[in-house]
Amino acid sequence: MAAQFEALGDFLDDWLELPTLCSDGETRTFRIPSPSAEDGLRVDRITTAAARLALGGSAMDETILNDEEEKDLFRLVLGAQHDEILAQVPWTRFRHVAMTTMVWITSDRDRAAKYWAAGGRPPQTAPNRAARRSQNSGSSESATATTTRSRGSTSTTKAASRRSAKPKAAGST
């Protein structure tokens, strides 16, 4: 018997909601719609080419974006929300909203959420403070184990015994 599939609209979200602190101090949730299939493919093509270049691959011979399209990449990913977000948030937040949306378009909601939470840094470099705190707060041993001793705290006994083991120079008493 063939499997029954639910309609895509029943379980797949066609938008991304990103709560963002705006310039006026208020947090607003921007609901960014999924781009058209054509625009989604264009964003995917752009990010794939950029990833190849970033990984040291050779440049593509084909022109991916003309100058106007390149200028409007964020407009492409943010769609109808572009102007509203641009008017309400500073550049760093605007860029993070747009880049998170790009991750969602080219990958999935989970990866976009990880990118969002990491502040745009790759996951391996993004600090997870809550996890580190919970590991270190479990016992005083774990806090001690993570402390690095400074070089200045080496034992003077070892240094003194090394000095006394040196052979004496000829003519010394």
Side-chain angles (χ1 to χ4, degrees), residues 67-148:
D67 291 341
E68 194 60 35
E69 289 172 324
E70 188 173 17
K71 290 177 187 174
D72 290 332
L73 178 60
F74 288 163
R75 184 176 297 282
L76 183 67
V77 298
L78 297 175
Q81 291 292 312
H82 176 276
D83 292 342
E84 182 179 353
I85 297 168
L86 183 63
Q88 294 189 38
V89 300
W91 166 246
T92 54
R93 292 184 190 129
F94 176 81
R95 184 176 190 284
H96 191 61
V97 167
M99 295 299 291
T100 300
T101 304
M102 196 177 307
V103 171
W104 171 61
I105 292 168
T106 60
S107 187
D108 58 39
R109 184 174 299 277
D110 290 337
R111 286 203 178 128
K114 287 176 185 171
Y115 182 88
W116 180 262
R121 293 173 293 189
Q124 64 271 22
T125 61
N128 185 340
R129 293 179 185 165
R132 285 197 319 254
R133 285 184 190 136
S134 67
Q135 282 179 332
N136 290 339
S137 66
S139 71
S140 61
E141 281 181 19
S142 64
T144 305
T146 59
T147 303
T148 304

